[in-house]
């Protein structure tokens, strides 16, 4: 199924690099003077005339602690998993209007393992399409989906700001262990064939003004010792199983959220888990 890209009127690389959010325990607010330096030395991803046509190519040319700007309207295909690991003290990846990465990888489109390094991805659509159907001689070879769109492991300071994450046969966004991720300012996790978001042991997902929708299993599952979901002013919509499931020692906190039209239940807590719901709407769940 082709992804329908959301309208993002605020998708401006210059405006969105200037983030006024904390990342982990470290603030990332940039002055305009610092911003101008970053923009002047940024690696560009786009059509001919840019430093690279793909994100993977841009990473090879980008200095550690630098910035990658993906030009507005540029859509590119990554044939293999893009790995973000040794990125220096900080890396900013910012896309212009309708900057789209389509992935043919079968594991994950983006694999993030940055330790305590700050990673900010702003205004980028990540489509985990996997391998398309094809023919070999007279034989028809079916499409093979990617397992996840974004995999985060052992990463403490990851921000997805105004991003669009699409697909994944097992999960759209997976926090596998010891990770902290923030979904901010209109980030959408859409149409995973499994869980929308999975939060593993000793991992934290903080959501603000973001959406998880149309997962074919549970929208957000928070499971295992030390797993924590904090969602504020966010929506979990039209997921086939539960909207939010907290289990096996996990902890969930929902404030001013909407959980709507899930197949089994809106919010479920089981197996010694705790979930607090405050000033939220839970409706239309069967």
């Amino acid at each position: 199924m082709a992804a329908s890209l959301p309208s993002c009127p605020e998708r401006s690389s210059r405006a969105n690099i200037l983030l006024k959010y904390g990342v982990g325990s470290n603030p990332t607010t940039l002055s305009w003077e610092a911003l101008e330096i970053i923009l002047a030395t940024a690696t560009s991803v786009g059509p001919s005339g840019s430093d690279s046509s793909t994100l993977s190519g841009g990473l090879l040319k980008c200095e550690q602690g630098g910035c990658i700007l993906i030009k507005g309207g540029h859509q590119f295909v990554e044939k293999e998993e893009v790995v973000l690991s040794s990125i220096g003290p900080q890396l900013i990846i910012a896309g212009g209007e309708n900057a789209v990465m389509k992935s043919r990888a079968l594991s994950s489109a983006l694999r993030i393992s940055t330790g305590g390094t700050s990673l900010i991805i702003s205004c980028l659509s990540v489509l985990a399409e996997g391998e398309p159907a094809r023919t070999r001689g007279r034989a028809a070879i079916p499409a093979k989906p990617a397992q996840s769109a974004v995999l985060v492991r052992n990463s403490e300071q990851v921000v997805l700001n105004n991003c669009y994450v699409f697909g994944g046969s097992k999960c759209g966004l997976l926090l596998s262990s010891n990770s902290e991720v923030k979904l901010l300012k209109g980030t959408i996790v859409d149409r995973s064939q499994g869980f929308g978001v999975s939060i593993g042991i000793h991992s934290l997902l903080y959501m603000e003004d973001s959406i998880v929708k149309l997962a074919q299993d549970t929208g957000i599952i928070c499971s295992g010792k030390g797993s924590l979901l904090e969602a504020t002013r966010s929506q979990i919509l039209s997921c086939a199983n539960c909207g939010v499931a907290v289990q096996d020692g996990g902890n969930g906190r929902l404030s001013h959220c909407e959980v709507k039209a899930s197949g089994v239940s809106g919010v479920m807590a089981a197996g010694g888990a705790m979930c607090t719901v405050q000033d939220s709407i839970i409706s239309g769940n069967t």
Side-chain angles (χ1 to χ4, degrees), residues 13 38-63 66-72 74 76 91-96 99:
S13 298
I38 290 173
L39 291 171
T41 59
T43 299
S44 62
V45 172
S48 58
S50 303
D51 295 316
S52 178
S53 61
T54 63
L55 177 57
S56 56
L59 287 167
L60 293 175
K61 297 183 179 182
C62 180
E63 295 183 2
C67 176
I68 296 175
L69 296 181
I70 303 173
K71 294 183 178 181
H74 183 55
F76 58 97
L91 176 65
I92 297 173
I93 300 172

Side-chain angles (χ1 to χ4, degrees), residues 8-286:
C8 296
E10 297 183 35
R11 288 192 167 196
S12 163
S13 298
R14 183 177 292 266
N16 280 288
I17 293 175
L18 190 65
L19 298 175
K20 296 182 179 179
Y21 301 104
V23 183
S25 59
N26 300 318
T28 60
T29 302
L30 302 174
S31 67
W32 282 107
E33 291 78 10
L35 178 62
E36 292 296 338
I37 293 173
I38 290 173
L39 291 171
T41 59
T43 299
S44 62
V45 172
S48 58
S50 303
D51 295 316
S52 178
S53 61
T54 63
L55 177 57
S56 56
L59 287 167
L60 293 175
K61 297 183 179 182
C62 180
E63 295 183 2
Q64 288 200 349
C67 176
I68 296 175
L69 296 181
I70 303 173
K71 294 183 178 181
H74 183 55
Q75 300 190 16
F76 58 97
V77 175
E78 296 283 2
K79 295 181 180 179
E80 298 179 353
E81 182 181 59
V82 176
V83 179
L84 301 172
S85 55
S86 301
I87 59 174
Q90 175 173 285
L91 176 65
I92 297 173
I93 300 172
E97 178 76 31
N98 290 326
V100 180
M101 172 183 141
K102 299 180 180 180
S103 175
R104 299 286 184 260
L106 295 180
S107 50
S108 56
L110 284 179
R111 177 160 59 89
I112 299 169
S113 182
T114 56
T117 297
S118 170
L119 171 65
I120 301 169
I121 303 177
S122 185
C123 300
L124 177 64
S125 294
V126 178
L127 312 185
E129 297 185 339
E131 291 184 356
R134 63 191 191 278
T135 58
R136 181 181 296 166
R138 295 183 178 181
I141 301 175
K144 296 180 180 179
Q147 292 185 10
S148 61
V150 180
L151 167 64
V152 184
R153 177 182 290 121
N154 299 321
S155 302
E156 297 177 2
Q157 304 182 51
V158 177
V159 171
L160 300 182
N161 177 64
N162 199 17
C163 290
Y164 180 65
V165 177
F166 174 86
S169 63
K170 294 184 177 179
C171 192
L173 169 62
L174 173 60
L175 284 65
S176 68
S177 61
N178 301 300
S179 295
E180 180 178 325
V181 176
K182 293 185 177 182
L183 305 184
L184 302 175
K185 201 175 181 180
T187 291
I188 300 172
V189 180
D190 189 14
R191 280 180 275 181
S192 167
Q193 295 175 36
F195 302 129
V197 179
S198 178
I199 307 166
I201 60 171
H202 301 296
S203 292
L204 163 65
L205 176 72
Y206 176 78
M207 293 177 62
E208 182 178 299
D209 300 313
S210 295
I211 299 172
V212 175
K213 64 176 184 175
L214 295 170
Q216 293 185 22
D217 200 313
T218 294
I220 302 175
I221 184 165
C222 180
S223 179
K225 182 179 179 181
S227 61
L228 174 62
L229 165 66
E230 290 193 2
T232 304
R233 297 190 306 276
S234 294
Q235 296 176 301
I236 299 92
L237 306 173
S238 303
C239 299
N241 195 358
C242 296
V244 176
V246 186
Q247 61 190 36
D248 299 331
N251 197 336
R253 302 169 190 162
L254 279 65
S255 176
H256 299 87
C257 292
E258 181 180 19
V259 183
K260 184 177 180 181
S262 296
V264 176
S265 62
V267 178
M268 180 189 75
M274 180 185 302
C275 189
T276 303
V277 180
Q278 180 180 5
D279 297 324
S280 297
I281 298 172
I282 301 175
S283 65
N285 304 291
T286 59

